[in-house]
Amino acid sequence: TREYRIINRYGFGLNARYTNTTKFGDRENEFTAGGEISTQPERTEYYDNLGGEKGDQIEQLTGEKATSTGFFFSDNFEILPEKLVVTLNGRYDNVVYKLNEETVPSRSEKKIFEALSPKLVLNYTVIPLVTFFGSFGLQFESPADKQLESPDPFYLYNPDLKAAISKTLEAGIKGKQVKKDSSSFFNKVSYKASFFRTRIDNEIVPYEVFGDVYYRNATTTNRYGLELESRLEIWKDLGFSVSYMYSHFIYDTYAALSPEVDT
């Protein structure tokens, strides 16, 4: 960047989880719920960048804190015992960014990103080595603190930047086979092959203003892909894995902006 920066950052967090398994006749239901919270204070010093060397005079001093709070649940229910299982997942995230300019204490800003992300999954097991599955879910991705930098010096945070929202559809086949004798060679094999499609609205992309990089919401993207993976346990905890992913990303819409020197 144009400035030489020294960043001091640390973080800590807590998480808790509760799981309960119950029987409804010959059908099993497993419910999991929990939460997590983390915080990451940061202090950044800005100096002149003299060809990659730090200048002597400090230009700016900022203090920032990012706090993330999340609550989640998951419920697995056997519609057909040991055959058809439906899973409903849900997650609520709240991400709060606070930034103040210590050289000008009156300047401070706050940004909040929050969303609920549900997901529905179906698994149908024909035999242990063949399970068909499908899922559909919503997800959001909040900007990182670096992406929130404002191209307008009047603001500390970019007031126009939004979280990216995605919808993902996945379908495929998976399975595993385990021998009863765990001490034998090649006692476990597993594989997965799946196709996915993700549509992302308000995708966050970089752009330049006279050499400085900033971020904005500019596109609607369709992402298609194929995933293949397998694992063979040779002996006890010694295994061999191989995986492959093919991705094809299409930018359906892209609003290109060009900054001008004058008005």
Side-chain angles (χ1 to χ4, degrees), residues 206-263:
Y207 72 105
E208 285 191 6
V209 178
F210 311 128
D212 289 328
V213 178
Y214 299 98
Y215 293 83
R216 60 192 176 90
N217 304 108
T219 70
T220 297
T221 308
N222 274 304
R223 302 186 175 190
Y224 302 88
L226 177 68
E227 291 184 79
L228 303 172
E229 59 183 71
S230 64
R231 175 177 171 82
L232 173 65
E233 188 170 286
I234 300 173
W235 184 70
K236 290 187 177 180
D237 293 324
L238 176 63
F240 174 76
S241 300
V242 61
S243 62
Y244 171 80
M245 176 185 286
Y246 170 78
S247 299
H248 183 62
F249 296 171
I250 303 173
Y251 286 80
D252 290 335
T253 61
Y254 189 99
L257 302 179
S258 179
E260 302 292 341
V261 175
D262 54 31
T263 58

Side-chain angles (χ1 to χ4, degrees), residues 55-73:
D56 295 329
Q57 184 175 356
I58 188 169
E59 293 184 336
Q60 191 181 32
L61 185 63
T62 62
E64 184 175 21
K65 183 169 72 171
T67 303
S68 176
T69 306
F71 301 96
F72 59 88
F73 74 90

Side-chain angles (χ1 to χ4, degrees), residues 5-42:
R5 306 181 187 187
I6 297 178
I7 301 173
N8 297 280
R9 176 189 297 149
Y10 66 93
F12 63 92
L14 297 170
N15 65 76
R17 177 188 300 265
Y18 168 77
T19 299
N20 177 266
T21 302
T22 56
K23 285 274 191 178
F24 295 95
D26 57 350
R27 293 169 175 80
E28 188 174 278
N29 185 84
E30 182 180 272
F31 177 78
T32 300
E36 56 192 37
I37 184 172
S38 63
T39 184
Q40 183 173 270
E42 175 182 308

Side-chain angles (χ1 to χ4, degrees), residues 144-187:
D145 54 354
K146 164 63 181 171
Q147 295 173 333
L148 281 170
E149 290 185 4
S150 175
D152 186 345
F154 182 78
Y155 300 99
L156 295 177
Y157 283 140
N158 187 338
D160 301 319
L161 197 61
K162 303 175 183 177
I165 307 297
S166 63
K167 305 178 184 70
T168 300
L169 178 67
E170 184 180 17
I173 184 173
K174 61 182 178 179
K176 63 180 179 180
Q177 189 70 49
V178 181
K179 292 182 180 179
K180 294 182 179 180
D181 184 6
S182 61
S183 63
S184 64
F185 287 92
F186 309 112
N187 67 314

